[in-house]
Amino acid sequence: MEQIQELIQAGKIEDAIRETEAALSQLPQTDFHQIIGKNLLHLQPGLTKFLNSFYETMITEEEMDVKAIYVEMNSFSTQYERWFIHLLAYDTLNSPGNFEWLTEFSGESTESPTITGFEALQKANQQYMQSEGYRDNNLRQACELHEYLVVLRLHELVKLTVTAQKGKAAWTNVPVFVGAHDFEDLMYIVR
């Protein structure tokens, strides 16, 4: 969905969510439709503490001059047992248009908090993979749209967390990249 990618690049996460939910709602009902109207905003206080602690550790214990942070969700479409967030820090900032450099991180979180609230979707993913649901065109389309929505809801969470902490937390002064493993085409940068 090229249009969704363009909205992400323009920072219009809410519009991207709205359009993706509308596209999903036009498909025959599946377990993936449970994501419509659900968000991850209840994780905002925990994410704030996680980012505060991570940034502090990177600058004090690792003595790193943090130039960027990457908030990455695990490969949730195939790792349906547990969805989590992992943080990576960079002491250099390369071209934001080419994300290959994100594999060359300078520091990483030792913890990976679990994403809660989407457990029913984790079960839907498990059922989909185990039953080879991808062979059904409607189910495959619904799964793909739900995957976009999971990533978009992560974008929304991080964007609102950064916005709420602007002027309060030093880590908001560096670009925060947001994505999910295997979904690099949906990368979002919060500045």
Side-chain angles (χ1 to χ4, degrees), residues 117-173:
F118 282 178
E119 290 81 2
L121 294 168
Q122 290 171 244
K123 289 179 182 171
N125 269 296
Q126 181 177 10
Q127 176 63 27
Y128 175 78
M129 294 302 288
Q130 290 176 345
S131 69
E132 298 182 2
Y134 45 83
R135 296 184 188 278
D136 177 291
N137 190 44
N138 284 328
L139 195 54
R140 184 174 30 73
Q141 286 179 349
C143 180
E144 288 172 3
L145 289 168
H146 124 277
E147 290 171 343
Y148 274 48
L149 283 166
V150 169
V151 176
L152 287 166
R153 289 303 187 173
L154 178 66
H155 292 168
E156 176 187 48
L157 168 65
V158 176
K159 178 181 180 180
L160 293 176
T161 302
V162 170
T163 300
Q165 294 304 308
K166 278 283 186 195
K168 299 177 191 173
W171 53 265
T172 63
N173 296 322

Side-chain angles (χ1 to χ4, degrees), residues 47-111:
L47 180 59
T48 300
K49 288 178 187 172
F50 186 39
L51 282 160
N52 286 338
S53 175
F54 175 70
Y55 186 81
E56 183 66 24
T57 298
M58 291 298 112
I59 62 169
T60 58
E61 294 176 23
E62 300 296 325
E63 299 179 353
M64 182 187 307
D65 183 15
V66 178
K67 302 285 187 191
I69 296 172
Y70 181 21
V71 179
E72 182 183 44
M73 184 175 177
N74 64 315
S75 184
F76 66 93
S77 60
T78 57
Q79 296 175 353
Y80 35 77
E81 303 85 18
R82 179 175 173 251
W83 291 358
F84 60 86
I85 296 173
H86 191 71
L87 299 179
L88 302 168
Y90 301 84
D91 58 10
T92 58
L93 179 62
N94 293 313
S95 169
N98 176 2
F99 299 117
E100 290 181 26
W101 63 273
L102 290 172
T103 61
E104 303 295 326
F105 54 90
S106 306
E108 67 180 309
S109 57
T110 56
E111 299 175 10

